[in-house]
Amino acid sequence: MKKLWIAAAMTLALAGCSNKKALDIPTGTDVTVEKTDGVTVAGRLVEVQPEQVIVESRDGIKTSVLRSQIASMRQSATVAHRDAEKAAVTADPAKTAPPAPAASPAPADNPGASAAAPSAAAAAPETRPEAAPAESHLAPTAPVERKPEYREVTLPSGTTLTVQLATTVASDTSHVEDPVRGTLRNAVRIDGLEALPVGTAVLGHVTSAEPAGKVKGVASIAFRINTIDLPGEGGQESVSTATYSRAAKTTRRKDATKIGVGAGAGAVIGGLLGGGSGAAKGAAIGGGAGTAVVLSTAGDEVRIPAGTPVTIKLTAPLTLRVRL
């Protein structure tokens, strides 16, 4: 009986010590309460009363535990570890002190000091360059401007240029050195590339203009191309071409017909009036009249109107830069 009383007294003494320790734990601390019946209550200590303590779980449920039922109450492991680290730092101020500045290197004439002092490179903390921020794959990228590529080609001598005239030229109105303009009617290709596209402007000048004569001389007109105006920013290129010329048809047969008709008509009239001798005289008179008509009449002029296609050939190679 006496032993049972001693055991009960020791239990009450231990409970009293535990309860006293519970009063030392401040509210707001995460605790674990072990009851005398073996049940464990964990949570935040929200209230401490003389008869009981109140613990609130993470779910917000509050549990009241009588002090007589508390076997032990202690702080949670996480909180206790944090408090221990804080106490260790407070007790050892060397841990919170800033690092000592690196010793400056000793002069060259004092090797002993150099060996005793730690090197600045060893004392300095290792620094690593910050990584550059990764570019967002959503960021818009500027379009890459590609420079145009060119290839040099050469049009050989004899290459045909089909030109549609934009200027009218004529034997009786044009003069030497008058400008002649036109455009290419067909594209010029070489090695699968379009060296000169349709519509390329060409420039030239009149080289000869001969109007029709009354007695002799046939009308003619001639010109040549000497410049090609390349499209875009290609500029102008000098070219050498053959002369294009055109002459009027001769009027000799017409002139002979006019003279013969005049002579025949005169002979008929002279024969009616005076017989054989009259016919001879009439023929001479009629022929003279026909000749007079021929001498007073000029031949045909030659005219090439605007819009007329003409074919001109290169007389020397032409080298061009063609954009691919």
Side-chain angles (χ1 to χ4, degrees), residues 102-132:
S104 59
D109 56 353
N110 191 0
S114 175
S119 64
E126 182 182 358
T127 58
R128 296 182 180 179
E130 296 182 359

PDB file of all heavy atoms in Angstrom, residues 102-132:
ATOM      1  N   ALA A 102      40.856  41.366 -47.247  1.00  0.00           N
ATOM      2  CA  ALA A 102      42.036  40.626 -47.686  1.00  0.00           C
ATOM      3  C   ALA A 102      43.280  41.454 -47.471  1.00  0.00           C
ATOM      4  O   ALA A 102      43.280  42.671 -47.669  1.00  0.00           O
ATOM      5  CB  ALA A 102      41.902  40.243 -49.164  1.00  0.00           C
ATOM      6  N   ALA A 103      44.341  40.788 -47.043  1.00  0.00           N
ATOM      7  CA  ALA A 103      45.604  41.482 -46.790  1.00  0.00           C
ATOM      8  C   ALA A 103      46.234  41.896 -48.104  1.00  0.00           C
ATOM      9  O   ALA A 103      46.186  41.173 -49.087  1.00  0.00           O
ATOM     10  CB  ALA A 103      46.556  40.571 -46.006  1.00  0.00           C
ATOM     11  N   SER A 104      46.779  43.124 -48.143  1.00  0.00           N
ATOM     12  CA  SER A 104      47.439  43.607 -49.356  1.00  0.00           C
ATOM     13  C   SER A 104      48.748  42.873 -49.544  1.00  0.00           C
ATOM     14  O   SER A 104      49.409  42.494 -48.570  1.00  0.00           O
ATOM     15  CB  SER A 104      47.684  45.110 -49.238  1.00  0.00           C
ATOM     16  OG  SER A 104      48.482  45.371 -48.104  1.00  0.00           O
ATOM     17  N   PRO A 105      49.150  42.678 -50.777  1.00  0.00           N
ATOM     18  CA  PRO A 105      50.403  41.939 -51.013  1.00  0.00           C
ATOM     19  C   PRO A 105      51.600  42.705 -50.477  1.00  0.00           C
ATOM     20  O   PRO A 105      51.654  43.925 -50.512  1.00  0.00           O
ATOM     21  CB  PRO A 105      50.451  41.791 -52.535  1.00  0.00           C
ATOM     22  CG  PRO A 105      49.581  42.878 -53.048  1.00  0.00           C
ATOM     23  CD  PRO A 105      48.513  43.074 -52.025  1.00  0.00           C
ATOM     24  N   ALA A 106      52.551  41.964 -49.924  1.00  0.00           N
ATOM     25  CA  ALA A 106      53.754  42.571 -49.342  1.00  0.00           C
ATOM     26  C   ALA A 106      54.663  43.077 -50.435  1.00  0.00           C
ATOM     27  O   ALA A 106      54.620  42.605 -51.563  1.00  0.00           O
ATOM     28  CB  ALA A 106      54.491  41.529 -48.492  1.00  0.00           C
ATOM     29  N   PRO A 107      55.462  44.100 -50.143  1.00  0.00           N
ATOM     30  CA  PRO A 107      56.415  44.604 -51.151  1.00  0.00           C
ATOM     31  C   PRO A 107      57.372  43.506 -51.591  1.00  0.00           C
ATOM     32  O   PRO A 107      57.628  42.541 -50.889  1.00  0.00           O
ATOM     33  CB  PRO A 107      57.142  45.738 -50.420  1.00  0.00           C
ATOM     34  CG  PRO A 107      56.250  46.120 -49.288  1.00  0.00           C
ATOM     35  CD  PRO A 107      55.500  44.886 -48.903  1.00  0.00           C
ATOM     36  N   ALA A 108      57.952  43.736 -52.778  1.00  0.00           N
ATOM     37  CA  ALA A 108      58.838  42.711 -53.345  1.00  0.00           C
ATOM     38  C   ALA A 108      60.103  42.533 -52.531  1.00  0.00           C
ATOM     39  O   ALA A 108      60.713  41.465 -52.547  1.00  0.00           O
ATOM     40  CB  ALA A 108      59.190  43.075 -54.792  1.00  0.00           C
ATOM     41  N   ASP A 109      60.530  43.601 -51.789  1.00  0.00           N
ATOM     42  CA  ASP A 109      61.781  43.483 -51.054  1.00  0.00           C
ATOM     43  C   ASP A 109      61.596  42.873 -49.681  1.00  0.00           C
ATOM     44  O   ASP A 109      62.503  42.849 -48.873  1.00  0.00           O
ATOM     45  CB  ASP A 109      62.437  44.871 -50.920  1.00  0.00           C
ATOM     46  CG  ASP A 109      61.493  45.860 -50.255  1.00  0.00           C
ATOM     47  OD1 ASP A 109      60.320  45.471 -50.044  1.00  0.00           O
ATOM     48  OD2 ASP A 109      61.904  46.999 -49.982  1.00  0.00           O
ATOM     49  N   ASN A 110      60.373  42.391 -49.375  1.00  0.00           N
ATOM     50  CA  ASN A 110      60.115  41.775 -48.074  1.00  0.00           C
ATOM     51  C   ASN A 110      59.469  40.423 -48.302  1.00  0.00           C
ATOM     52  O   ASN A 110      58.271  40.250 -48.143  1.00  0.00           O
ATOM     53  CB  ASN A 110      59.220  42.668 -47.218  1.00  0.00           C
ATOM     54  CG  ASN A 110      59.148  42.184 -45.774  1.00  0.00           C
ATOM     55  OD1 ASN A 110      59.771  41.172 -45.423  1.00  0.00           O
ATOM     56  ND2 ASN A 110      58.397  42.884 -44.942  1.00  0.00           N
ATOM     57  N   PRO A 111      60.217  39.416 -48.683  1.00  0.00           N
ATOM     58  CA  PRO A 111      59.625  38.109 -48.987  1.00  0.00           C
ATOM     59  C   PRO A 111      59.033  37.457 -47.771  1.00  0.00           C
ATOM     60  O   PRO A 111      58.112  36.677 -47.860  1.00  0.00           O
ATOM     61  CB  PRO A 111      60.791  37.311 -49.570  1.00  0.00           C
ATOM     62  CG  PRO A 111      62.023  37.977 -49.034  1.00  0.00           C
ATOM     63  CD  PRO A 111      61.689  39.421 -48.891  1.00  0.00           C
ATOM     64  N   GLY A 112      59.519  37.774 -46.590  1.00  0.00           N
ATOM     65  CA  GLY A 112      58.964  37.150 -45.388  1.00  0.00           C
ATOM     66  C   GLY A 112      57.533  37.569 -45.151  1.00  0.00           C
ATOM     67  O   GLY A 112      56.671  36.768 -44.815  1.00  0.00           O
ATOM     68  N   ALA A 113      57.266  38.874 -45.325  1.00  0.00           N
ATOM     69  CA  ALA A 113      55.897  39.346 -45.147  1.00  0.00           C
ATOM     70  C   ALA A 113      54.985  38.755 -46.188  1.00  0.00           C
ATOM     71  O   ALA A 113      53.829  38.456 -45.935  1.00  0.00           O
ATOM     72  CB  ALA A 113      55.871  40.872 -45.230  1.00  0.00           C
ATOM     73  N   SER A 114      55.512  38.551 -47.396  1.00  0.00           N
ATOM     74  CA  SER A 114      54.695  37.967 -48.460  1.00  0.00           C
ATOM     75  C   SER A 114      54.307  36.548 -48.119  1.00  0.00           C
ATOM     76  O   SER A 114      53.204  36.106 -48.407  1.00  0.00           O
ATOM     77  CB  SER A 114      55.476  38.010 -49.775  1.00  0.00           C
ATOM     78  OG  SER A 114      54.769  37.360 -50.784  1.00  0.00           O
ATOM     79  N   ALA A 115      55.187  35.789 -47.498  1.00  0.00           N
ATOM     80  CA  ALA A 115      54.872  34.402 -47.153  1.00  0.00           C
ATOM     81  C   ALA A 115      53.904  34.344 -45.996  1.00  0.00           C
ATOM     82  O   ALA A 115      53.090  33.437 -45.898  1.00  0.00           O
ATOM     83  CB  ALA A 115      56.167  33.654 -46.807  1.00  0.00           C
ATOM     84  N   ALA A 116      53.981  35.334 -45.067  1.00  0.00           N
ATOM     85  CA  ALA A 116      53.118  35.273 -43.882  1.00  0.00           C
ATOM     86  C   ALA A 116      51.711  35.711 -44.193  1.00  0.00           C
ATOM     87  O   ALA A 116      50.753  35.173 -43.638  1.00  0.00           O
ATOM     88  CB  ALA A 116      53.723  36.153 -42.779  1.00  0.00           C
ATOM     89  N   ALA A 117      51.546  36.715 -45.039  1.00  0.00           N
ATOM     90  CA  ALA A 117      50.207  37.243 -45.310  1.00  0.00           C
ATOM     91  C   ALA A 117      49.504  36.367 -46.323  1.00  0.00           C
ATOM     92  O   ALA A 117      50.092  35.949 -47.291  1.00  0.00           O
ATOM     93  CB  ALA A 117      50.319  38.675 -45.848  1.00  0.00           C
ATOM     94  N   PRO A 118      48.229  36.080 -46.101  1.00  0.00           N
ATOM     95  CA  PRO A 118      47.480  35.293 -47.093  1.00  0.00           C
ATOM     96  C   PRO A 118      47.267  36.119 -48.346  1.00  0.00           C
ATOM     97  O   PRO A 118      47.130  37.321 -48.297  1.00  0.00           O
ATOM     98  CB  PRO A 118      46.136  35.005 -46.387  1.00  0.00           C
ATOM     99  CG  PRO A 118      45.987  36.108 -45.402  1.00  0.00           C
ATOM    100  CD  PRO A 118      47.385  36.455 -44.949  1.00  0.00           C
ATOM    101  N   SER A 119      47.267  35.436 -49.479  1.00  0.00           N
ATOM    102  CA  SER A 119      47.088  36.132 -50.755  1.00  0.00           C
ATOM    103  C   SER A 119      45.658  36.617 -50.890  1.00  0.00           C
ATOM    104  O   SER A 119      44.723  36.014 -50.391  1.00  0.00           O
ATOM    105  CB  SER A 119      47.430  35.191 -51.921  1.00  0.00           C
ATOM    106  OG  SER A 119      46.537  34.118 -51.941  1.00  0.00           O
ATOM    107  N   ALA A 120      45.526  37.779 -51.592  1.00  0.00           N
ATOM    108  CA  ALA A 120      44.194  38.353 -51.783  1.00  0.00           C
ATOM    109  C   ALA A 120      43.331  37.448 -52.629  1.00  0.00           C
ATOM    110  O   ALA A 120      42.128  37.346 -52.431  1.00  0.00           O
ATOM    111  CB  ALA A 120      44.312  39.738 -52.437  1.00  0.00           C
ATOM    112  N   ALA A 121      43.979  36.752 -53.565  1.00  0.00           N
ATOM    113  CA  ALA A 121      43.194  35.873 -54.439  1.00  0.00           C
ATOM    114  C   ALA A 121      42.611  34.718 -53.658  1.00  0.00           C
ATOM    115  O   ALA A 121      41.493  34.269 -53.919  1.00  0.00           O
ATOM    116  CB  ALA A 121      44.066  35.357 -55.578  1.00  0.00           C
ATOM    117  N   ALA A 122      43.360  34.204 -52.642  1.00  0.00           N
ATOM    118  CA  ALA A 122      42.861  33.084 -51.850  1.00  0.00           C
ATOM    119  C   ALA A 122      41.789  33.533 -50.891  1.00  0.00           C
ATOM    120  O   ALA A 122      40.855  32.803 -50.581  1.00  0.00           O
ATOM    121  CB  ALA A 122      44.020  32.426 -51.100  1.00  0.00           C
ATOM    122  N   ALA A 123      41.940  34.777 -50.350  1.00  0.00           N
ATOM    123  CA  ALA A 123      40.978  35.241 -49.355  1.00  0.00           C
ATOM    124  C   ALA A 123      39.686  35.714 -50.004  1.00  0.00           C
ATOM    125  O   ALA A 123      38.633  35.683 -49.376  1.00  0.00           O
ATOM    126  CB  ALA A 123      41.599  36.371 -48.520  1.00  0.00           C
ATOM    127  N   ALA A 124      39.772  36.218 -51.223  1.00  0.00           N
ATOM    128  CA  ALA A 124      38.578  36.769 -51.854  1.00  0.00           C
ATOM    129  C   ALA A 124      37.591  35.662 -52.190  1.00  0.00           C
ATOM    130  O   ALA A 124      37.973  34.603 -52.661  1.00  0.00           O
ATOM    131  CB  ALA A 124      38.959  37.514 -53.140  1.00  0.00           C
ATOM    132  N   PRO A 125      36.322  35.898 -51.923  1.00  0.00           N
ATOM    133  CA  PRO A 125      35.330  34.863 -52.246  1.00  0.00           C
ATOM    134  C   PRO A 125      35.186  34.703 -53.751  1.00  0.00           C
ATOM    135  O   PRO A 125      35.381  35.648 -54.514  1.00  0.00           O
ATOM    136  CB  PRO A 125      34.042  35.413 -51.624  1.00  0.00           C
ATOM    137  CG  PRO A 125      34.254  36.887 -51.572  1.00  0.00           C
ATOM    138  CD  PRO A 125      35.725  37.091 -51.322  1.00  0.00           C
ATOM    139  N   GLU A 126      34.876  33.519 -54.143  1.00  0.00           N
ATOM    140  CA  GLU A 126      34.724  33.218 -55.563  1.00  0.00           C
ATOM    141  C   GLU A 126      33.450  33.855 -56.090  1.00  0.00           C
ATOM    142  O   GLU A 126      32.380  33.695 -55.497  1.00  0.00           O
ATOM    143  CB  GLU A 126      34.669  31.713 -55.771  1.00  0.00           C
ATOM    144  CG  GLU A 126      34.559  31.328 -57.238  1.00  0.00           C
ATOM    145  CD  GLU A 126      34.463  29.834 -57.414  1.00  0.00           C
ATOM    146  OE1 GLU A 126      34.524  29.128 -56.381  1.00  0.00           O
ATOM    147  OE2 GLU A 126      34.336  29.388 -58.559  1.00  0.00           O
ATOM    148  N   THR A 127      33.578  34.589 -57.150  1.00  0.00           N
ATOM    149  CA  THR A 127      32.404  35.225 -57.757  1.00  0.00           C
ATOM    150  C   THR A 127      32.172  34.620 -59.115  1.00  0.00           C
ATOM    151  O   THR A 127      33.098  34.402 -59.888  1.00  0.00           O
ATOM    152  CB  THR A 127      32.615  36.742 -57.896  1.00  0.00           C
ATOM    153  OG1 THR A 127      33.773  36.980 -58.675  1.00  0.00           O
ATOM    154  CG2 THR A 127      32.790  37.401 -56.510  1.00  0.00           C
ATOM    155  N   ARG A 128      30.956  34.374 -59.387  1.00  0.00           N
ATOM    156  CA  ARG A 128      30.581  33.788 -60.679  1.00  0.00           C
ATOM    157  C   ARG A 128      29.727  34.780 -61.447  1.00  0.00           C
ATOM    158  O   ARG A 128      28.850  35.415 -60.871  1.00  0.00           O
ATOM    159  CB  ARG A 128      29.790  32.490 -60.473  1.00  0.00           C
ATOM    160  CG  ARG A 128      30.609  31.396 -59.795  1.00  0.00           C
ATOM    161  CD  ARG A 128      29.784  30.132 -59.676  1.00  0.00           C
ATOM    162  NE  ARG A 128      30.548  29.068 -59.038  1.00  0.00           N
ATOM    163  CZ  ARG A 128      30.054  27.853 -58.795  1.00  0.00           C
ATOM    164  NH1 ARG A 128      28.804  27.578 -59.143  1.00  0.00           N
ATOM    165  NH2 ARG A 128      30.806  26.941 -58.213  1.00  0.00           N
ATOM    166  N   PRO A 129      30.001  34.923 -62.726  1.00  0.00           N
ATOM    167  CA  PRO A 129      29.188  35.869 -63.504  1.00  0.00           C
ATOM    168  C   PRO A 129      27.747  35.385 -63.587  1.00  0.00           C
ATOM    169  O   PRO A 129      27.468  34.200 -63.695  1.00  0.00           O
ATOM    170  CB  PRO A 129      29.864  35.858 -64.893  1.00  0.00           C
ATOM    171  CG  PRO A 129      30.588  34.541 -64.947  1.00  0.00           C
ATOM    172  CD  PRO A 129      31.013  34.242 -63.537  1.00  0.00           C
ATOM    173  N   GLU A 130      26.877  36.357 -63.482  1.00  0.00           N
ATOM    174  CA  GLU A 130      25.458  36.013 -63.572  1.00  0.00           C
ATOM    175  C   GLU A 130      25.123  35.578 -64.987  1.00  0.00           C
ATOM    176  O   GLU A 130      25.605  36.140 -65.960  1.00  0.00           O
ATOM    177  CB  GLU A 130      24.601  37.222 -63.187  1.00  0.00           C
ATOM    178  CG  GLU A 130      24.800  37.650 -61.731  1.00  0.00           C
ATOM    179  CD  GLU A 130      23.884  38.815 -61.388  1.00  0.00           C
ATOM    180  OE1 GLU A 130      23.156  39.249 -62.293  1.00  0.00           O
ATOM    181  OE2 GLU A 130      23.904  39.252 -60.231  1.00  0.00           O
ATOM    182  N   ALA A 131      24.322  34.572 -65.034  1.00  0.00           N
ATOM    183  CA  ALA A 131      23.913  34.059 -66.345  1.00  0.00           C
ATOM    184  C   ALA A 131      23.005  35.065 -67.026  1.00  0.00           C
ATOM    185  O   ALA A 131      22.151  35.690 -66.386  1.00  0.00           O
ATOM    186  CB  ALA A 131      23.189  32.718 -66.186  1.00  0.00           C
ATOM    187  N   ALA A 132      23.235  35.252 -68.288  1.00  0.00           N
ATOM    188  CA  ALA A 132      22.394  36.179 -69.037  1.00  0.00           C
ATOM    189  C   ALA A 132      20.987  35.613 -69.131  1.00  0.00           C
ATOM    190  O   ALA A 132      20.788  34.413 -69.274  1.00  0.00           O
ATOM    191  CB  ALA A 132      22.961  36.389 -70.443  1.00  0.00           C
TER     192      ALA A 132
END
